[in-house]
Amino acid sequence: MIFDHDGLVVASAQKEHEQIFPRAGWVEHDPEEIWRATREVVAAALAKKDLTRHDIAAVGITNQRETTVVWDRRTGKPVYNAIVWQDTRTDELCTELAGDEGPGRYRERTGLPLSTYFSGPKIRWILDNVEGARERAEAGDLCFGTMDTWILWHLTGGADGGLHVTDPTNASRTMLMDLRTLEWDEQICAEFRIPTSMLPQIRSSSEVYAQVRERGTLAGVPIAGILGDQQAATFGQACLSVGEAKNTYGTGNFLLLNTGTTPMPSSNGLLTTVCYRIGEAPAVYALEGSVAVTGSLIQWLRDNLGIINSAKEIEGLAASVEDNGGAYFVPAFSGLFAPRWRPDARGAIVGLTRFVNKGHLARAALEATAFQTREVLEACLADSGVELTALKVDGGMVLNEILMQFQSDILDVPVIRPVVNETTALGAAYAAGLAVGFWAGEDDIRNNWAVGRTWKPTMAATERDRLYREWNKAVERTYDWVD
């Protein structure tokens, strides 16, 4: 995506890539396919407006944060597919690492519970299960990176001098970084049996790292920003002050609340994470609630059940009925994330009667996203004491009018969508542009943000309470499914 100084979209291009499911609970991507697709969409976006590299001030990168790649630094070849954040194959390993101290063993230092969600256990799985990987890693031949690091390494030359770098927002999702020092924790790495030689250098989220390699459409353009996708959306939504929050509706849902320059521990199942670090300024932290399955539930209805032919059809189907007909859909396909953290849970549809039809199931699928968002927000408010007055939203699902109205109703606060909905890409652009002076400072970002649409609550309190009570009852039915 290409943005101008007003934060408006100049041009964009996109390309879907393969989702690989080798077995139940395993989710992978082909990192080389993603690198090829990156080059293709960069060229396509420039071509749409007849732009060249000379028109581009800087490049920012944003990415799925926990998705894990390990590759050979001499050849650039991955030793295994990228293991995606949703993948649950490291469940037993996480239990083993927790030992007698339990899932909170590393929470004080990393802000995270031991979970299949994060990169560290995925790296360990690759080293333990790919033939020869551990020996090559201990010899210093292998690199680890999340997707930002993989793309940056290639953009700056790959095996021919590529830069091996990440930023604190991505590093804070590995379980291997100390939140306070913003450096790799050697003790945790040793306990995970991960050689520190594999790990990228941690730089700030906004500084000039290098120029794009000479070969390609962006040759010589400075690469100057890296933000993990949810932190990028928070930055793009101008949530730059303590107490400001945004919720991104994508494959999963991610709510971040800016808590300022001191990490805030959570007592309610949230993650403490780095929100951003601009140049040499102190890092800003956030509380985050992650919901594993929201937009991907709509894809599941399309691809696995064939209830709809395209994701856009879900709204019309949900509009064909007045309510959920008593049905609740709990999409615990990978267990439950924040604030419940129940890896033993699995998906369920409850409350079925002969009355329920596919319209009710469509509505129940949309409502599941809003219910899970309320759970996360309640945990945020319990931790921070900050009372929510409105919720800024972004991501693909916020174009769904039924979902946004129900979200406002079930929260009992206004829901606000900005003019520019693609705030993840915009946040990465802001980080890069700040580093090269394209934007003078954070006030430019605040001034660019503008309201596109607001939904206000219309639901009676008694109905809101009834629906949420029944939702909680449905969720509890999913517990203890995996022994």
Side-chain angles (χ1 to χ4, degrees):
M1 296 195 76
I2 303 169
F3 296 91
D4 65 16
H5 193 270
D6 293 331
L8 300 176
V9 178
V10 174
S12 67
Q14 61 185 24
K15 184 179 175 69
E16 202 165 298
H17 64 82
E18 186 182 5
Q19 308 296 306
I20 303 164
F21 306 103
R23 62 176 77 171
W26 292 29
V27 190
E28 298 177 359
H29 292 159
D30 177 351
E32 293 186 293
E33 181 193 7
I34 291 173
W35 168 228
R36 285 194 301 274
T38 301
R39 301 198 301 275
E40 289 173 14
V41 294
V42 165
L46 289 167
K48 282 183 180 179
K49 292 295 181 181
D50 199 22
L51 302 173
T52 74
R53 61 194 174 100
H54 301 294
D55 298 301
I56 306 300
V59 172
I61 300 173
T62 183
N63 59 294
Q64 290 186 347
R65 299 164 296 176
E66 299 81 10
T67 297
T68 297
V69 193
V70 174
W71 70 94
D72 189 301
R73 67 174 77 244
R74 295 170 302 176
T75 66
K77 292 290 181 184
V79 304
Y80 189 80
N81 275 339
I83 301 180
V84 179
W85 62 274
Q86 297 162 302
D87 189 285
T88 59
R89 76 186 68 187
T90 57
D91 192 21
E92 288 184 12
L93 174 59
C94 288
T95 302
E96 176 192 322
L97 288 166
D100 295 336
E101 296 175 62
R105 178 178 180 181
Y106 300 111
R107 187 185 278 275
E108 186 182 349
R109 280 180 281 170
T110 68
L112 312 174
L114 266 160
S115 167
T116 60
Y117 184 13
F118 307 112
S119 310
K122 301 182 200 301
I123 304 169
R124 166 72 179 271
W125 187 94
I126 290 172
L127 296 182
D128 286 350
N129 290 277
V130 176
E131 187 176 352
R134 179 163 295 285
E135 293 76 9
R136 291 162 70 189
E138 289 174 354
D141 293 338
L142 299 187
C143 295
F144 151 75
T146 42
M147 295 310 294
D148 58 304
T149 302
W150 167 251
I151 294 298
L152 177 67
W153 190 79
H154 279 289
L155 278 175
T156 53
D160 185 20
L163 196 64
H164 191 210
V165 162
T166 190
D167 89 306
T169 66
N170 283 291
S172 70
R173 312 299 289 208
T174 59
M175 294 206 77
L176 305 177
M177 188 193 84
D178 187 304
L179 268 184
R180 287 163 181 79
T181 65
L182 307 186
E183 294 177 354
W184 301 118
D185 187 305
E186 294 196 4
Q187 182 184 351
I188 297 177
C189 290
E191 291 171 4
F192 274 58
R193 296 184 59 222
I194 294 172
T196 54
S197 62
M198 296 178 68
L199 305 180
Q201 181 187 9
I202 302 171
R203 305 265 289 268
S204 85
S205 310
S206 176
E207 62 176 273
V208 176
Y209 312 110
Q211 278 70 44
V212 178
R213 63 185 186 153
E214 282 305 307
R215 188 170 67 257
T217 50
L218 291 175
V221 177
I223 306 170
I226 301 173
L227 283 167
D229 52 5
Q230 304 312 321
Q231 286 90 335
T234 309
F235 208 67
Q237 283 272 40
C239 294
L240 307 176
S241 301
V242 174
E244 293 186 313
K246 69 88 203 177
N247 197 30
T248 296
Y249 296 71
T251 308
N253 261 37
F254 302 89
L255 187 140
L256 270 75
L257 174 74
N258 183 324
T259 61
T261 54
T262 304
M264 179 180 288
S266 173
S267 305
N268 293 279
L270 301 178
L271 310 177
T272 305
T273 196
V274 177
C275 195
Y276 55 87
R277 186 183 182 204
I278 304 303
E280 295 299 315
V284 172
Y285 295 87
L287 284 172
E288 176 177 335
S290 315
V291 179
V293 178
T294 54
S296 56
L297 176 57
I298 310 308
Q299 294 171 336
W300 185 83
L301 290 175
R302 179 194 67 191
D303 299 339
N304 292 45
L305 296 192
I307 286 178
I308 50 175
N309 294 315
S310 71
K312 289 180 180 177
E313 291 178 18
I314 193 75
E315 186 166 12
L317 187 56
S320 69
V321 293
E322 290 183 4
D323 54 31
N324 63 17
Y328 292 82
F329 200 147
V330 186
F333 297 154
S334 305
L336 293 167
F337 282 18
R340 296 175 190 260
W341 296 105
R342 294 293 299 247
D344 58 308
R346 284 299 177 268
I349 305 172
V350 303
L352 293 178
T353 62
R354 287 287 298 272
F355 173 69
V356 172
N357 61 34
K358 62 183 180 180
H360 297 113
L361 292 183
R363 186 173 280 265
L366 292 176
E367 290 180 357
T369 292
F371 286 130
Q372 292 177 101
T373 296
R374 176 168 164 177
E375 290 183 9
V376 168
L377 262 172
E378 287 182 347
C380 264
L381 302 184
D383 275 335
S384 68
V386 176
E387 195 65 39
L388 188 75
T389 55
L391 180 66
K392 291 180 177 179
V393 300
D394 55 69
M397 292 182 82
V398 303
L399 300 176
N400 189 304
E401 301 273 340
I402 287 179
L403 171 58
M404 291 296 100
Q405 183 58 55
F406 187 78
Q407 186 69 86
S408 177
D409 285 337
I410 211 68
L411 293 177
D412 197 26
V413 297
V415 168
I416 303 170
R417 184 177 72 198
V419 169
V420 177
N421 180 42
E422 294 286 357
T423 56
T424 301
L426 179 58
Y430 280 150
L434 284 171
V436 298
F438 185 75
W439 287 287
E442 292 180 4
D443 283 347
D444 281 357
I445 297 172
R446 289 188 178 92
N447 293 338
N448 278 352
W449 191 88
V451 173
R453 172 77 195 274
T454 300
W455 290 266
K456 294 181 178 178
T458 58
M459 184 179 285
T462 51
E463 178 69 355
R464 181 182 307 114
D465 294 345
R466 180 188 70 81
L467 289 168
Y468 194 53
R469 183 176 66 253
E470 291 181 0
W471 162 259
N472 277 298
K473 195 157 57 171
V475 174
E476 287 164 8
R477 299 292 191 273
T478 70
Y479 291 177
D480 299 315
W481 190 260
V482 179
D483 294 329

